[in-house]
Amino acid sequence: MLTTFETVLETKQKLTDDVYLFRFRLVRPDKIVFLPGQYLIADIPQKNNQSIKRLYSIASSPDQTGRFDLIIKIVEKGLGGSYLMNLDIGRPLLFQGPAGAFTLKNTDRSKVFLATGTGIAPIKSMIASIKNFEYKIKSYLFWGLPYISEVFMAEELKEMEKSGNFSFDICLSRETDLGEVAGDDKKHFTLGRIDKGLDDFFLKTESFKDYEYYICGNPGVVESIRQYLFQKGIDTGNVFSEKF
Ligand SMILES: Cc1cc2nc3c(=O)[nH]c(=O)nc-3n(C[C@H](O)[C@H](O)[C@H](O)COP(=O)(O)OP(=O)(O)OC[C@H]3O[C@@H](n4cnc5c(N)ncnc54)[C@H](O)[C@@H]3O)c2cc1C
């Protein structure tokens, strides 16, 4: 059963030209319990006492129970996005949830995460929660974005990498060179689509069929990656996805 959460907007942070991080503090109930990968349903007020529902994945770790983060792309003329953009700090918003079956499995299989754009939101929560697992597993993130200017959170990912069990590759589909990227950071970038990063991983990783694969983002890309994984012989039971 879904719970209704009364929240207030605590902070709003611009991450790129059109992506924002919204942090909500829980008021009643004052805690949330969720599985990494789940989403909340925002109740967005409209004119004439009407409201619309919009789904947003929780980007923060389940360890953080008194507040949660959402990473949202503001699309032109989007009703949900423009409401949130104009919501002042301290203002209330209702959410229902948590919901969704795209959740991280607490198994001894290593994980590959594949995200496009704000599809990184539930995956960020998943990666943050791996440290609580009883199993010591490896995890790899391939994150597809068009341009270097659309990258956010790279410093946080570098921090996470210090654990030694996690590494990431940001795949830039429309960049032609990495001139803007500082020397040491270049190892975190691939020029090309996310499947290019994945191909390199397959070549380097003999045991790739033993991994679990978590895919999230643009519906077309999610579907094409799913089909590609199946062609490679990966079991359908080891592939989990969410389409935004
Ligand atoms: C399970 C689930 C989880 C989700 N989690 C997130 C999340 O964490 N972060 C996030 O940003 N979104 C997420 N979404 C998408 C989100 O729910 C909204 O659909 C999206 O933010 C657009 O809503 P809106 O009200 O701003 O735009 P709408 O009013 O619904 O759309 C306005 C116009 O923009 C177009 N449009 C809608 N989306 C896009 C887009 N992505 N790119 C270009 N044009 C678009 C529409 O076709 C329409 O013409 C999730 C969706 C699902 C199903």
Side-chain angles (χ1 to χ4, degrees), residues 68-242:
F68 58 84
D69 294 349
L70 306 178
I71 295 175
I72 300 178
K73 182 180 167 98
I74 309 299
V75 299
E76 215 182 320
K77 299 195 178 130
L79 295 177
S82 36
Y83 183 85
L84 289 171
M85 279 299 295
N86 292 316
L87 189 66
D88 289 329
I89 304 300
R91 297 296 299 160
L93 195 66
L94 286 180
F95 289 88
Q96 274 94 42
F102 178 62
T103 56
L104 187 66
K105 310 293 175 271
N106 189 347
T107 66
D108 61 357
R109 285 179 187 273
S110 289
K111 324 279 185 209
V112 175
F113 299 104
L114 300 145
T116 62
T118 52
I120 194 69
I123 286 186
K124 180 170 184 268
S125 178
M126 290 179 176
I127 294 167
S129 70
I130 282 184
K131 64 177 185 316
N132 300 333
F133 275 26
E134 58 199 282
Y135 307 106
K136 283 285 152 266
I137 57 163
K138 283 194 169 31
S139 61
Y140 299 89
L141 166 67
F142 298 95
W143 183 18
L145 290 165
Y147 296 105
I148 189 85
S149 58
E150 298 185 44
V151 175
F152 52 91
M153 248 178 49
E155 290 307 312
E156 263 180 85
L157 292 173
K158 281 200 271 181
E159 263 317 297
M160 288 171 165
E161 201 178 47
K162 287 184 184 159
S163 72
N165 296 319
F166 166 70
S167 63
F168 69 97
D169 184 6
I170 300 176
C171 305
L172 300 170
S173 58
R174 297 196 200 158
E175 285 293 357
T176 47
D177 69 73
L178 293 175
E180 282 181 50
V181 179
D184 203 32
D185 286 344
K186 285 199 168 62
K187 63 173 190 258
H188 291 305
F189 289 89
T190 293
L191 289 175
R193 293 184 344 185
I194 201 168
D195 42 2
K196 164 93 172 45
L198 195 54
D199 275 338
D200 294 345
F201 170 77
F202 289 150
L203 284 174
K204 282 188 291 197
T205 317
E206 213 179 307
S207 60
F208 70 84
K209 287 188 188 166
D210 298 333
Y211 282 64
E212 284 171 1
Y213 292 80
Y214 294 81
I215 322 164
C216 186
N218 168 290
V221 180
V222 170
E223 194 47 43
S224 79
I225 294 173
R226 275 169 54 83
Q227 295 311 323
Y228 188 51
L229 294 176
F230 299 149
Q231 272 172 32
K232 283 277 176 188
I234 291 153
D235 196 284
T236 51
N238 288 329
V239 178
F240 310 94
S241 60
E242 185 92 278

